[in-house]
Amino acid sequence: VLALHGYGGSNNDMMSNYGWVELADERGFVVAFPNGTRDQSNNRFWDVDYDFHQGIDVDDDGFLSSLAIYLQGLHGLDPQRTYVTGFSNGAEMCFQLACRESETFMAFAPIVGMMLDPLFNECDPAVNRSILSLNGTDDNVTLYEGDMNNSGGWGAYHSIPDMMALWAD
């Protein structure tokens, strides 16, 4: 399992705050906590094309897919049991990987994330995979009803129900 941090977070946040290490030890699986790149504000991020990251081009799709394949070879891990989860910006990276790298990852669990409008409209996974997605209706950052007017500054995105309908289809 790759566990991806949120915007401004780090791999240490994911490792220390969510019980992944203990769960992996208890259940006998491998979990990796990669770090995203630092942006112009020195915040770590995954490149999902937020409006304020225009002009930044980081190949996180390629990085995370290559990392998964590298770890499979290094540790003899089953490619058919390689998964990705993430929180917030990490969740948005999960959706992006589900659209673009579905041959590498077998399932996705984005937690509190959305899909920006361009990804929503262009998403065409090579292979359909399972997705578990969790969002709250009272979240004041990732708005359940979406933000097509981009009032939050992240970029335009559809409502969570519309996003789930896209994946259900």
Side-chain angles (χ1 to χ4, degrees):
V1 176
L2 295 186
L4 309 179
H5 62 78
Y7 179 69
S10 73
N11 61 346
N12 288 327
D13 295 333
M14 289 302 289
M15 189 169 28
S16 301
N17 296 329
Y18 298 99
W20 278 106
V21 173
E22 297 81 7
L23 185 63
D25 288 345
E26 177 186 313
R27 300 286 174 96
F29 65 89
V30 175
V31 61
F33 305 95
N35 257 332
T37 305
R38 291 193 185 273
D39 69 7
Q40 66 275 19
S41 300
N42 203 34
N43 290 312
R44 290 197 180 277
F45 75 103
W46 302 107
D47 190 5
V48 296
D49 294 328
Y50 289 147
D51 269 9
F52 56 89
H53 283 154
Q54 295 303 311
I56 296 176
D57 188 22
V58 179
D59 183 13
D60 282 329
D61 298 354
F63 166 65
L64 292 168
S65 290
S66 294
L67 176 62
I69 292 165
Y70 172 77
L71 292 172
Q72 290 165 1
L74 182 66
H75 297 289
L77 304 173
D78 184 353
Q80 298 301 310
R81 296 179 65 199
T82 300
Y83 312 102
V84 63
T85 187
F87 175 73
S88 190
N89 178 222
E92 290 142 18
M93 190 69 225
C94 280
F95 283 122
Q96 187 165 296
L97 292 170
C99 293
R100 300 178 181 169
E101 299 292 331
S102 61
E103 293 174 313
T104 302
F105 300 97
M106 299 301 114
F108 304 87
I111 309 302
V112 190
M114 49 73 172
M115 293 172 66
L116 290 169
D117 188 51
L119 182 66
F120 183 94
N121 291 317
E122 297 166 6
C123 184
D124 186 23
V127 181
N128 289 331
R129 301 289 189 200
S130 296
I131 293 183
L132 167 69
S133 180
L134 303 173
N135 285 80
T137 56
D138 289 340
D139 189 333
N140 63 0
V141 176
T142 303
L143 305 176
Y144 191 78
E145 294 305 320
D147 185 11
M148 290 303 291
N149 295 321
N150 190 22
S151 61
W154 303 101
Y157 62 94
H158 296 259
S159 71
I160 302 306
D162 286 350
M163 191 176 65
M164 292 299 93
L166 173 77
W167 286 107
D169 187 43

